[in-house]
């Protein structure tokens, strides 16, 4: 059973940067594809970015490209979401999720970490 612990969320001012972390345990990390999702009150959950098991293929939502970057450190069983030039509309609960690379469903989820961008 894979357990994901996501962290790094906090309250920041517009223009600030944050790095979220997602640490996995209980499975073979190098067999997992990982994604970050976010959900704001009253809105549907949205995929922010994803990265393959090897870390050599990534995707970032079009509207966030250029400000958000996803990376992974397989030696540390960790995936990161670097968020720069944060805007109030980035306020949301951010959750990481993982799936075995041969599947299409994200079966494992972190508990979520709150990011609030406000002046």
């Amino acid at each position: 059973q894979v357990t994901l612990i996501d962290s790094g969320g906090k309250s920041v001012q517009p223009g600030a940067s944050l790095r979220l972390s997602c640490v996995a345990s209980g499975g073979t990390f190098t067999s997992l594809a990982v994604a970050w999702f976010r959900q704001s009150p009253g809105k549907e959950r949205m995929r922010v970015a994803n990265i393959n098991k090897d870390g050599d293929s990534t995707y970032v939502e079009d509207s966030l490209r250029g400000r958000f970057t996803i990376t992974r450190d397989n030696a540390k069983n960790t995936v990161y979401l670097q968020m720069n030039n944060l805007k109030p509309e980035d306020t949301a609960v951010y959750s990481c999720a993982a799936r075995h690379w041969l599947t299409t469903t994200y079966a494992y989820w972190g508990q979520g970490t709150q990011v609030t961008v406000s002046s």
Side-chain angles (χ1 to χ4, degrees), residues 28 31-33 98-108:
T28 303
S31 69
L32 299 175
R99 60 176 176 83
H100 189 274
W101 71 280
L102 291 173
T103 66
T104 58
T105 301
Y106 287 97
Y108 310 105

Side-chain angles (χ1 to χ4, degrees), residues 62-74:
D62 287 349
S63 63
L64 303 175
R65 206 165 293 161
R67 295 194 298 122
F68 287 23
T69 305
I70 187 170
T71 59
R72 67 190 292 160
D73 184 340
N74 283 348

Side-chain angles (χ1 to χ4, degrees), residues 10-17 85-88 116-119:
K10 60 188 296 186
S11 293
V12 297
Q13 293 189 338
S17 295
N85 189 23
L86 284 162
K87 303 177 180 181
T116 302
V117 185
S118 174
S119 56

Side-chain angles (χ1 to χ4, degrees), residues 11-109:
S11 293
V12 297
Q13 293 189 338
S17 295
L18 277 179
R19 188 177 76 164
L20 306 183
S21 299
C22 174
V23 180
S25 61
T28 303
F29 187 66
T30 52
S31 69
L32 299 175
V34 180
W36 282 98
F37 292 80
R38 73 183 186 186
Q39 187 165 23
S40 306
K43 294 187 178 180
E44 291 188 358
R45 186 170 61 197
M46 181 185 87
R47 184 183 55 171
V48 172
N50 58 262
I51 189 166
N52 70 343
K53 64 181 181 69
D54 299 319
D56 58 4
S57 178
T58 62
Y59 168 84
V60 177
E61 170 65 28
D62 287 349
S63 63
L64 303 175
R65 206 165 293 161
R67 295 194 298 122
F68 287 23
T69 305
I70 187 170
T71 59
R72 67 190 292 160
D73 184 340
N74 283 348
K76 296 182 178 179
N77 285 8
T78 303
V79 171
Y80 304 99
L81 182 68
Q82 178 67 41
M83 306 185 294
N84 297 328
N85 189 23
L86 284 162
K87 303 177 180 181
E89 53 264 40
D90 295 319
T91 295
V93 175
Y94 287 72
S95 302
C96 64
R99 60 176 176 83
H100 189 274
W101 71 280
L102 291 173
T103 66
T104 58
T105 301
Y106 287 97
Y108 310 105
W109 289 82

